[in-house]
Amino acid sequence: MSEPIIAVEDVTYSYDGRPAVEGVSLSVEEGEFLGLVGPNGSGKTTLLKLMLGLLSPDSGEVRLFGVPVEAFDAGERIGYVSQHSTGKERTMPVTVREVVTMGRYPHTRFGWLRSHDREMVEEALSRVGIAELADRRINELSGGQKQRAFIARTLAGEADLLALDEPTVGVDADSRDRFYALLDELNDQGITIVLIEHDIGVVTDHADRVACINRELYHHGDAEAFMESDALARAYGTNSRMIEHGH
Amino acid sequence: MGSKTIQRLVLAVFGLGVLLLFVPIALGIMPRAFFEASCGLGRSFGTQIACYGFIWNALTTAVFIGIVGPVIGTYLVHREMALIGETLAHAAFAGVAIGTLLFAGSGWGTPLLLSALVAGIVGALAVQFLADRTGSYGDVPIAIMLTGSFALGTLVISLGGGFATVDINSILFGSIATVGGENVLLMAVLSIAIVGTVALTYKPLLYITFDEEAARVARFNVSAYNTLLIVLTAMVVVGSMQILGVILVAAMLVVPVAAAAQLTNSFRDSLFASVIVGESAAVSGLLLSWRYSLAPGATIVVVAIAIYLLAVAMPDRTGHASAE
């Protein structure tokens, strides 16, 4: 078997002495769709940031595409969409096409955009079904359309790893379903996906593997096995309303 | 597309004008015949304005302010760092004050401008250091830097014999009479460096401005670009201070950008639109201030704000787009 896309080994991270992630080891294989679940404040986002090298672990090691994360420099291979990806556009004039074009920036760096870059952008726009919105200012788009634009940005960049941190917060149910159908399609084409999502139903429907954390790793394995195990109850605590509500 | 062709045409004419007219004036290589001819032309319209060397110096500086202020401001405003300019202007004020001690100068001598530049860049690096340490360009470190450097400047001036020895008015409020040839040259050099750097780093700066975290994931060196942006801001501020004054200099980083954001959909268009707004305000404000003996900085800022208010009052930009 080839080297995992992401390998996390015994990683610990604390904010000002408060541990957020403790002794977590897991790996993400090529083509996998990993759902990362856990209660609020359980360290999901921290773990994702550690995986991407946005944070450096206090101890332990992270490898991205087989390279130690601090030495990893093939930024174009990762597409990252967070809740925060949608913060600036309220006031900033920037068109959908400009946002998607940013996906090409790690390839071109300082150089001009070539016709190949522009083709990739147009292709990505149509791929997620927002080609006709390309010249609109991004703040004119609905929540679901915006998230499609951000996915298009990662596609334009030819990323082979998608890292998504609660991408559908504030998106209506219909658009959300279509968004996850799109993720499934991309995953079928071989793109590796790591998804943080608070709705466990969505995760078990779409992801093939689940990592459940609450500071420590409670479960890492098949989505079905996860539902049958008691990891959820242990990670969320027995009196969690979320479990009763969702299942 | 028609509008794109027009945009390119305007840009080409404007760029050519700056290159052929104002760069030679700044470099001091404009032939005398040009000034004599324009003086004569002005007289035939009944005005002496084109006959004064200092007007040409001030106008040239204003033209550069109208370019670099909005260009850097576009990144600052959309990064929600609008008050950085104000802070660095106050740091530069401390530099001017220290310069008056070191060089026994007053007003806007070139040595003072250079010591302002050094102080501005030191202030920029200090702001960036605080931002890196605290994780944001928070109000509190900014407010401490802003007031602290102004206090330092005031103390230094008091030590050096008080405000009687320094032309404090022109430092705080700007002046067109004191823009010497060397200062115009400095402004031109700064402007060319700023525009060149932005042209080269347009993509990473835009990416970081829009989505800093994604830019970090894409392995852009965000901290280095932030430092670059803030040092460029210090350069803009110091170059613009002579005319706009310490207190008002930040307006040219903010107001044209705010107006442009009302009028355009794309970032690229907003960058060009902000330069057009900034240029209109700088040039017309300067001429008005000369005509009616007003403070140049204040006049330029008021004209810019008038344009901004017009832009806000225009039909809703969103509705405008869908009607096309």
Side-chain angles (χ1 to χ4, degrees), chain A residues 125-157:
Chain A
L125 283 163
S126 13
R127 182 80 187 74
V128 303
I130 54 168
E132 73 285 1
L133 304 173
D135 291 319
R136 294 267 193 96
R137 190 157 157 167
I138 188 126
N139 69 352
E140 294 171 24
L141 268 54
S142 71
Q145 290 167 333
K146 262 181 216 165
Q147 292 307 39
R148 284 172 175 268
F150 285 113
I151 292 293
R153 182 177 72 186
T154 72
L155 294 181

Side-chain angles (χ1 to χ4, degrees), chain A residues 52 88 94 98 111 137 153, chain B residues 203 209 219 261 264 267 317:
Chain A
L52 300 175
K88 280 278 170 62
V94 55
E98 280 181 316
R137 190 157 157 167
R153 182 177 72 186
Chain B
K203 292 188 182 81
T209 302
R219 296 304 186 262
T264 50
F267 186 79
R317 201 201 45 67

Side-chain angles (χ1 to χ4, degrees), chain B residues 76 81-90 233 237 246 249-250 253:
Chain B
L76 294 178
M81 287 162 61
L83 281 178
I84 295 278
E86 190 71 39
T87 308
L88 298 184
H90 285 75
T233 307
V237 161
V246 164
V249 68
L253 293 163

Side-chain angles (χ1 to χ4, degrees), chain B residues 48-258:
Chain B
Q48 298 279 354
I49 189 166
C51 304
Y52 302 106
F54 75 87
I55 286 286
W56 281 107
N57 283 344
L59 183 66
T60 305
T61 308
V63 165
F64 286 119
I65 292 173
I67 298 170
V68 293
V71 163
I72 295 300
T74 297
Y75 292 100
L76 294 178
V77 165
H78 299 306
R79 297 217 57 189
E80 288 159 18
M81 287 162 61
L83 281 178
I84 295 278
E86 190 71 39
T87 308
L88 298 184
H90 285 75
F93 171 75
V96 172
I98 293 165
T100 60
L101 277 192
L102 293 179
F103 308 110
S106 177
W108 283 122
T110 304
L112 294 197
L113 214 51
L114 287 174
S115 61
L117 185 61
V118 171
I121 289 174
V122 169
L125 297 176
V127 167
Q128 185 58 36
F129 174 76
L130 289 174
D132 283 343
R133 288 297 291 266
T134 59
S136 78
Y137 298 93
D139 306 3
V140 174
I142 294 286
I144 291 172
M145 271 293 295
L146 191 153
T147 52
S149 43
F150 203 68
L152 177 68
T154 310
L155 277 180
V156 170
I157 288 177
S158 327
L159 283 175
F163 289 97
T165 62
V166 180
D167 182 6
I168 193 77
N169 270 335
S170 77
I171 293 172
L172 292 183
F173 302 111
S175 159
I176 49 175
T178 54
V179 183
E182 284 176 352
N183 290 359
V184 182
L185 179 64
L186 178 68
M187 182 62 185
V189 170
L190 288 175
S191 301
I192 290 166
I194 291 163
V195 170
T197 307
V198 170
L200 199 67
T201 56
Y202 172 86
K203 292 188 182 81
L205 286 179
L206 169 56
Y207 205 159
I208 290 164
T209 302
F210 183 69
D211 192 343
E212 180 172 318
E213 227 165 32
R216 218 180 275 274
V217 171
R219 296 304 186 262
F220 284 104
N221 189 341
V222 171
S223 175
Y225 285 110
N226 282 338
T227 307
L228 177 72
L229 184 62
I230 206 162
V231 168
L232 291 175
T233 307
M235 289 161 66
V236 171
V237 161
V238 170
S240 313
M241 267 165 71
Q242 335 167 46
I243 286 184
L244 292 172
V246 164
I247 299 186
L248 291 175
V249 68
M252 277 311 266
L253 293 163
V254 177
V255 182
V257 178

